């Protein structure tokens, strides 16, 4: 006999090709909860209807549950058994039945934060993707849609507020207890079920729909937080109006509730009529939230509201179709945020995030198509590929079709599949029929992983110029050979000689591995503006003429392309310097100076354009990443720009900061530019900068300026640094969201002792592994600090591996999210690569490892 107790179980791989329709549907569910923080009793009554051609037992998924009793059609039923965690009920030749199952769960012990769990003495749920099976036995798959009736009974003092999906149709009291009955008239999958019970207060408002119905709105929070919900409420009402105006989609219930929860694995959840949010994306006021926080609240509130149609009314057939709802909804929330603020700046932010999170994913061992072929743990596929690349695929379809035809396609999609569990193919087909276009080749974006590369070459025939484009898609795990993608490529060309010749903005549809595009007549080589607006999520390789990028940075009429030109000029200089060559620092300084001259007109755009590329993005351009050289050369260029333009940077800071209460795009841009100016000046190392930063920190009227100054001080070694960190901690020690910022700025620090500082902070009384926000604020920030994480002795790798091992038994979902940085071991030198591999092996050697971590670590190691 072999002792397998210390051997991790090999997770079962689920394949998209094995999909089969459910053998039983459940039109109606009645749930009865006897609530308690330590113990909650759940009685589930399922109305089941056979859909299989031949008799098959009823399979009900479970996770950590024990069935206390099973009843069929009102009688105790003994013909059931457990198959691992699942409940099998043999119903014989019945075609329909009423199946009741009683279970007992322990919310306070649920550290995974999936299913029903306790957060600060409040009960709440998170069921996406497979958390409902931790509450009661159920098929727990998105293609089983049911109408829910939910009754909750609990102690009035502990749970004065009882919320669930839909409408509250009855409530009453019995001694110290009270109860509420909620009904949701719209069929939904189990992952959209929600329940919240606790001591909450509400910010109420209302919205009148385009058909004249009044919808009651409520944002529920802990007492004392209600004053920080105004921005979220405004965002909700703006979202409802925008969805009506842009997509013609009206809200379909008379009540819409949001609850803010402190302990939450995700950002928020779109449960029908009862959204549950991480407090980070609800609570905001000028003293505690930065402009980035305000934008995050607005975007996430919009995202979850938009899911009411793109996710709830039309849901996904199976989890392989996750991007059907998430990619489409991210696209919708991106466009909403662009309309609410600055479209160019929003596009820059979205592309920066795509390149920082998704491009490395596409180039690493965890690469997968936006519609994966297989998975072991679905929670591992809530990725930048599914969300952000998924949004880019929708954006490309919208670009190919144009606004009117795209709207026809979305109308057809919503109308055709309302109340159904749909597939990505259903969406593409609606775009084809509504937009009168053939997207056959475009479907490869759903099938193939990897970021396409476009190699561009200018060709000349007298004064006639053309552009030769060659497309390749690199091999990824399991997909060594790729076919060409169909994509929209926006481009333009300009004469740099002053002749005025141009090729105006042109949309080219690429389909082949090689394609030639005529540009027109130019007396000399034109400046090429390519992938304008980032029309396709690709990498462009193009050898520029001397001075071309600087000219485009100053003259291109597409804001994103102008930003891109300056960023590419910086990137070329930094990669050359980090690789041991000579970069053109003066050209960068001149281009930054020219861009900075337009700050008064558009500070938001200028603040984004003059930022140096991140260390991680610089590394992505190198054959072998050298984190020490990258940090050295980036700091050197930052110091050179800071010194050369010192007068301009100081002038930015000499002006009055926009008041923190002004959330206009121009005001936010002004504050952002002041933070950039302070960072450039700090890089020069001048003696007065710590005092200047501390003055800004002390005098700031809001968190944006305060945090920017604190982050600048955190990189240094001044007395002001220690003083500011202490002041910040003492002021906000009782505010968890703001205290996360205190941990974060220290984990991001450029100091050489950051690894030791993170170790010490992990022992701080205010640090806890129980709260995902706190874990991400320290360890998540640290793993993104490239030079510190990749410290040559491997201490950063051990730090993250130790975290994963400690966190996995408590919260495997959050633990698994910390692994991907270790999985990029092939991109670094042999010594670092060996240490990263060793840490992955150490993680995999742990007994009782979760499916989440096993899949992430094993794939990362194999990569």
């Amino acid at each position: 006999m072999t002792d397998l107790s210390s051997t991790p179980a090999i997770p079962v791989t689920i394949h998209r090709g094995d999909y089969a329709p459910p053998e039983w549907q459940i039109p109606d569910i009645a749930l009865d909860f006897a609530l308690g923080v330590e113990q909650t009793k759940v009685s589930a009554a399922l109305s089941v209807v056979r859909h299989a051609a031949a008799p098959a037992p009823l399979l009900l998924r479970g996770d950590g549950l024990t069935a206390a009793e099973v009843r069929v059609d009102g009688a105790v039923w003994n013909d059931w058994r457990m198959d691992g965690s699942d409940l099998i009920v043999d119903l014989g030749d019945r075609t329909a039945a009423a199946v009741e199952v009683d279970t007992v769960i322990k919310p306070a012990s649920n550290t995974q934060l999936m299913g029903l769990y306790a957060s600060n003495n409040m009960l709440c749920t998170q069921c996406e993707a497979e958390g409902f099976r931790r509450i009661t036995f159920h098929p727990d798959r998105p293609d089983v849609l049911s109408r829910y009736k939910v009754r909750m009974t609990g102690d009035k003092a502990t749970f004065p507020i009882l919320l669930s999906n839909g409408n509250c149709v009855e409530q009453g009291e019995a001694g110290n207890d009270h109860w509420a009955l909620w009904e949701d008239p719209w069929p939904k999958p189990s992952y959209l079920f929600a329940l919240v019970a606790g001591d909450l207060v509400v910010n109420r408002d209302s919205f009148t729909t385009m058909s004249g119905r009044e919808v009651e709105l409520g944002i529920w929070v802990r007492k004392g937080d209600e004053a920080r919900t105004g921005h979220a409420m405004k965002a909700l009402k703006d979202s409802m109006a925008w969805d009506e105006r842009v997509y013609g989609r009206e809200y379909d219930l008379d009540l819409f509730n949001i609850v803010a929860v402190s302990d939450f694995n995700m950002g928020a959840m779109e449960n029908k009529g009862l959204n549950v949010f991480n407090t980070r994306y609800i609570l905001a006021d000028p003293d505690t939230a930065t402009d980035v926080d305000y934008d995050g609240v607005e975007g996430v509130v919009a995202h979850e509201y938009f899911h009411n149609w793109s996710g709830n009314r039309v849901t996904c057939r199976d989890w392989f179709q996750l991007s059907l709802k998430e990619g489409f909804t991210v696209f919708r929330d991106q466009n909403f945020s662009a309309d609410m603020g600055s479209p160019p700046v929003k596009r820059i932010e979205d592309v920066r995030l795509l390149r920082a999170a998704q491009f490395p994913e596409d180039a690493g061992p965890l690469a997968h198509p936006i519609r994966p072929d297989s998975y072991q743990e679905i929670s591992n596929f809530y990725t930048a590929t599914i969300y952000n690349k998924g949004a880019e695929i929708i954006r490309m379809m919208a670009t190919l079709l144009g606004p009117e035809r795209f709207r026809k396609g979305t109308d057809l999609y919503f109308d055709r599949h309302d109340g159904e569990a749909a597939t990505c193919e259903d969406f593409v087909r609606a775009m084809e029929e509504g937009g009168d276009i053939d997207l056959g080749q475009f479907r490869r974006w759903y099938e193939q992983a990897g970021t396409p590369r476009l190699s561009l070459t200018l060709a000349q025939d007298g004064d006639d110029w053309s552009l030769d484009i060659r497309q390749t898609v690199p091999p990824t795990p399991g997909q060594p050979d790729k076919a060409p993608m169909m994509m929209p490529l926006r481009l333009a060309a300009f004469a740099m000689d002053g002749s005025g010749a141009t090729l105006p903005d042109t949309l080219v549809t690429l389909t082949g591995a090689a394609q030639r595009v005529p540009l027109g007549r130019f007396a000399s080589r034109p400046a090429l503006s390519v992938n304008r607006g980032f029309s396709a999520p690709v990498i462009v390789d193009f050898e520029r003429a001397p001075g071309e990028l600087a000219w485009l940075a100053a003259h291109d009429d597409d804001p994103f392309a102008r930003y891109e030109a300056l960023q590419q000029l910086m990137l070329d200089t930094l990669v050359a310097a980090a690789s041991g060559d000579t970069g053109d620092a003066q050209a960068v300084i001149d281009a930054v100076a020219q861009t900075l001259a337009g700050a008064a007109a558009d500070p938001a755009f200028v603040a984004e354009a003059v930022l140096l590329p991140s260390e991680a993005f610089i590394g992505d351009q190198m054959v072998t990443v050298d984190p020490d050289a990258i940090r050295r050369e980036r700091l050197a260029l930052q110091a050179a720009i800071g010194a050369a333009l010192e007068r301009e940077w100081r002038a930015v800071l000499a002006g009055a900061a926009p008041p923190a209460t002004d959330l206009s795009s121009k005001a936010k841009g002004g504050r952002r530019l002041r933070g950039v100016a302070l960072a450039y000046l700090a890089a020069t190392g001048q003696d007065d900068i710590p005092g200047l930063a501390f003055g800004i920190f002390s005098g700031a009227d809001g968190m944006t300026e305060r945090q920017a100054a604190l982050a600048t001080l955190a990189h240094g070694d001044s007395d002001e640094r220690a003083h500011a960190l202490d002041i910040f901690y003492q002021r906000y020690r009782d505010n968890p969201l703001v205290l996360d910022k205190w941990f974060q700025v220290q984990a991001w620090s450029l100091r050489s002792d950051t690894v030791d500082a993170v170790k010490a902070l992990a022992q701080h009384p205010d640090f806890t592994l129980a709260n995902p926000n706190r874990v991400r604020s320290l360890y998540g920030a640290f793993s993104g600090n490239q030079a510190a994480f990749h410290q040559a002795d491997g201490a950063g790798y051990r730090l993250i591996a130790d975290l994963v091992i400690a966190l996995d038994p408590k919260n495997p979902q959050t633990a698994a999210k910390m692994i991907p940085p270790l999985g990029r071991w092939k991109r670094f030198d042999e010594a670092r690569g060996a240490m990263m591999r060793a840490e992955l092996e150490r993680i995999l050697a742990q007994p009782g490892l979760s499916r989440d971590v096993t899949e992430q670590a094993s794939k990362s190691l194999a990569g």
Side-chain angles (χ1 to χ4, degrees):
M1 179 181 288
T2 302
D3 181 7
L4 300 179
S5 61
S6 62
T7 304
I10 299 174
V12 174
T13 299
I14 299 169
H15 297 274
R16 180 165 57 89
D18 293 338
Y19 172 82
E23 295 172 323
W24 294 84
Q25 282 288 356
I26 304 178
D28 294 283
I29 296 177
L31 299 172
D32 194 329
F33 290 85
L35 299 172
V37 172
E38 296 299 326
Q39 177 175 288
T40 290
K41 297 178 181 179
V42 186
S43 294
L46 286 62
S47 170
V48 303
V49 178
R50 187 189 301 280
H51 272 228
L58 175 65
L59 170 61
L60 302 176
R61 300 292 187 186
D63 182 0
L65 300 178
T66 301
E69 185 174 88
V70 176
R71 296 177 296 279
V72 174
D73 293 333
V76 174
W77 195 256
N78 296 318
D79 201 355
W80 61 271
R81 69 185 188 279
M82 296 298 297
D83 181 10
S85 298
D86 301 331
L87 174 65
I88 310 294
V89 183
D90 193 342
L91 296 175
D93 59 0
R94 280 177 166 83
T95 58
V99 178
E100 299 173 74
V101 184
D102 295 337
T103 56
V104 177
I105 53 179
K106 298 182 178 182
S109 304
N110 184 359
T111 62
Q112 293 185 30
L113 311 184
M114 289 292 290
L116 178 68
Y117 65 93
S119 174
N120 293 325
N121 214 40
M122 176 173 72
L123 295 180
C124 55
T125 56
Q126 171 57 29
C127 293
E128 187 176 355
E130 295 176 340
F132 193 71
R133 65 188 63 184
R134 294 175 58 80
I135 298 173
T136 189
F137 291 100
H138 188 271
D140 201 18
R141 45 188 288 174
D143 54 357
V144 175
L145 280 67
S146 312
R147 290 177 294 272
Y148 280 70
K149 183 181 293 185
V150 180
R151 180 187 172 96
M152 295 171 281
T153 303
D155 179 72
K156 286 184 290 188
T158 307
F159 309 117
I161 301 299
L162 303 173
L163 303 172
S164 190
N165 309 89
N167 301 306
C168 184
V169 296
E170 265 187 89
Q171 51 189 328
E173 298 186 7
N176 293 329
D177 290 340
H178 69 147
W179 58 270
L181 179 64
W182 289 77
E183 290 186 5
D184 187 351
W186 297 100
K188 64 176 180 284
S190 55
Y191 79 85
L192 291 175
F193 168 75
L195 175 157
V196 175
D199 190 0
L200 300 166
V201 294
V202 64
N203 175 6
R204 293 193 188 276
D205 207 329
S206 65
F207 178 83
T208 303
T209 70
M210 58 186 179
S211 67
R213 286 189 308 105
E214 184 169 309
V215 179
E216 182 182 340
L217 310 177
I219 298 181
W220 299 83
V221 294
R222 291 286 183 186
K223 188 176 182 180
D225 286 337
E226 59 269 30
R228 294 195 283 157
T229 61
H231 184 65
M233 183 63 80
K234 180 180 183 301
L236 175 58
K237 296 173 71 173
D238 287 344
S239 303
M240 298 175 82
W242 187 91
D243 210 19
E244 291 183 346
R245 184 173 68 252
V246 177
Y247 284 89
R249 298 295 119 184
E250 183 176 344
Y251 186 62
D252 52 7
L253 290 169
D254 297 328
L255 178 65
F256 189 94
N257 280 320
I258 292 174
V259 179
V261 179
S262 301
D263 302 300
F264 206 66
N265 282 333
M266 301 183 181
M269 181 59 211
E270 70 267 20
N271 318 297
K272 183 76 178 179
L274 179 59
N275 286 188
V276 179
F277 269 66
N278 190 318
T279 51
R280 176 182 174 185
Y281 293 110
I282 288 295
L283 305 180
D285 65 12
D287 182 57
T288 61
T290 65
D291 292 334
V292 172
D293 295 328
Y294 271 99
D295 290 346
V297 168
E298 181 179 71
V300 175
V301 167
H303 181 95
E304 305 308 332
Y305 174 75
F306 295 152
H307 265 314
N308 186 62
W309 276 93
S310 50
N312 295 5
R313 286 284 288 262
V314 183
T315 193
C316 48
R317 185 194 72 179
D318 54 69
W319 292 119
F320 296 101
Q321 319 296 328
L322 181 58
S323 194
L324 173 72
K325 73 183 186 75
E326 295 301 348
F328 185 23
T329 305
V330 169
F331 170 75
R332 276 152 54 75
D333 82 53
Q334 288 175 347
N335 287 336
F336 165 79
S337 294
D339 285 351
M340 295 297 108
S342 166
V345 170
K346 177 58 179 169
R347 190 63 183 136
I348 288 167
E349 292 170 349
D350 292 339
V351 174
R352 182 184 290 132
L353 176 60
L354 185 80
R355 286 171 166 166
Q358 198 281 320
F359 276 22
E361 196 168 85
D362 248 354
L366 301 175
H368 58 275
I370 67 166
R371 185 182 58 199
D373 293 320
S374 66
Y375 63 80
Q376 295 173 356
E377 172 52 58
I378 184 56
S379 65
N380 287 333
F381 280 85
Y382 284 74
T383 62
T385 296
I386 299 296
Y387 282 69
N388 303 88
K389 186 175 182 178
E392 295 299 318
I393 274 62
I394 304 298
R395 186 179 296 273
M396 285 192 289
M397 280 191 272
T399 301
L400 289 166
L401 271 65
E404 291 185 9
R405 291 192 298 158
F406 182 69
R407 171 63 188 271
K408 287 181 180 178
T410 59
D411 283 349
L412 179 60
Y413 169 71
F414 287 131
D415 294 343
R416 176 181 289 173
H417 299 290
D418 188 10
E420 294 181 359
T423 66
C424 294
E425 175 59 28
D426 292 328
F427 185 89
V428 177
R429 190 178 298 115
M431 294 301 107
E432 286 183 314
E433 295 179 27
D436 190 24
I437 189 174
D438 181 2
L439 294 173
Q441 183 184 355
F442 189 85
R443 286 169 169 81
R444 290 173 185 165
W445 285 100
Y446 287 89
E447 301 162 359
Q448 296 185 160
T451 304
R453 298 190 79 102
L454 303 183
S455 297
L456 311 184
T457 307
L458 284 176
Q460 180 184 11
D461 183 6
D463 285 348
D464 291 322
W465 291 79
S466 57
L467 179 67
D468 288 328
I469 306 173
R470 297 191 65 84
Q471 178 191 158
T472 58
V473 186
T476 52
Q479 294 186 337
D481 302 310
K482 309 292 178 67
M485 302 285 212
M486 176 185 183
M487 68 184 74
L489 188 70
R490 286 181 53 211
L491 54 84
F494 307 94
M496 292 192 293
D497 59 9
S499 65
T502 71
L503 171 72
D505 188 90
T506 301
L507 182 64
V508 176
T509 301
L510 299 185
T511 56
Q515 203 160 326
R516 172 165 284 194
V517 179
L519 301 178
R521 296 179 66 83
F522 293 88
S524 59
R525 176 184 167 123
L528 182 67
S529 174
V530 65
N531 207 19
R532 291 156 67 82
F534 205 72
S535 57
V538 298
I539 296 170
V540 176
D541 298 319
F542 182 42
E543 188 172 338
R544 297 282 186 174
E548 183 178 356
L549 287 172
W551 190 93
L552 288 168
H555 301 290
D556 202 316
D557 59 358
D558 179 271
F560 181 84
R562 198 161 67 248
Y563 157 85
E564 188 84 323
L566 181 50
Q567 289 290 298
Q568 191 63 52
L569 183 62
M570 294 172 170
L571 196 61
D572 290 348
T573 299
L574 288 163
V575 170
S579 302
D581 297 329
T582 302
D584 193 353
Q586 189 57 50
V588 174
I589 292 169
D590 293 343
V592 170
Q594 192 164 13
T595 303
L596 195 55
D602 194 351
F605 172 79
V606 170
E608 299 300 329
V610 301
L611 276 176
L612 289 176
S614 71
E615 293 180 3
F617 190 55
I618 298 165
D620 288 340
Q621 319 310 310
M622 302 177 70
V623 176
T624 301
V625 183
D626 186 341
D628 297 327
I630 290 170
R631 174 155 294 182
R632 181 182 66 247
E633 298 303 332
R634 189 179 185 278
L635 286 173
L637 181 58
Q638 191 176 26
I641 296 171
L645 303 177
E646 179 183 352
R647 184 178 62 182
E648 289 86 347
W649 299 126
R650 288 187 182 272
V652 169
L653 292 175
T661 53
D662 185 349
L663 297 179
S664 66
S665 179
K666 189 167 186 177
K668 289 190 287 188
R671 288 188 288 270
R672 172 78 155 154
L673 186 58
R674 285 170 59 84
V676 172
L678 182 60
Y680 270 117
L681 287 172
T684 67
Q686 296 184 51
D687 291 342
D688 71 320
I689 301 304
L692 176 63
F694 189 80
I696 293 172
F697 171 83
S698 302
D701 70 338
M703 183 54 70
T704 300
E705 291 246 313
R706 188 175 299 119
Q707 186 181 13
L710 182 66
T712 298
L713 288 167
H715 294 316
D717 191 27
S718 63
D719 291 340
E720 289 89 347
R721 174 189 191 271
H723 194 194
L725 285 170
D726 183 60
I727 290 172
F728 194 92
Y729 175 77
Q730 296 300 334
R731 178 171 179 171
Y732 296 111
R733 62 186 303 172
D734 295 325
N735 186 316
L737 290 179
V738 184
L739 197 57
D740 286 340
K741 301 178 189 298
W742 183 79
F743 282 94
Q744 189 178 66
V745 296
Q746 296 176 81
W748 273 342
S749 174
L750 303 179
R751 289 161 53 106
S752 60
D753 64 348
T754 298
V755 172
D756 292 334
V758 171
K759 289 179 180 178
L761 286 167
Q763 303 303 314
H764 193 279
D766 288 308
F767 183 79
T768 173
L769 291 180
N771 182 266
N773 285 351
R774 189 57 46 85
V775 173
R776 289 186 285 258
S777 72
L778 183 62
Y779 288 100
F782 170 74
S783 65
N785 185 337
Q786 183 164 264
F789 175 65
H790 294 288
Q791 188 170 292
D793 63 359
Y797 309 145
R798 289 192 294 276
L799 192 62
I800 293 298
D802 286 344
L803 166 72
V804 171
I805 291 167
L807 186 58
D808 184 49
K810 300 178 175 67
N811 189 332
Q813 192 174 124
T814 301
K817 299 295 185 188
M818 299 293 164
I819 292 175
L822 290 171
R824 305 199 70 212
W825 55 269
K826 278 191 174 181
R827 299 283 290 114
F828 292 82
D829 59 82
E830 186 175 348
R832 284 186 170 95
M835 289 186 288
M836 294 163 83
R837 290 198 314 273
E839 295 305 330
L840 289 168
E841 290 169 348
R842 182 162 70 92
I843 291 170
L844 283 169
Q846 300 303 308
L849 209 59
S850 70
R851 289 182 318 194
D852 309 62
V853 169
T854 298
E855 181 179 29
Q856 292 286 80
S858 59
K859 287 183 176 179
S860 296
L861 189 60

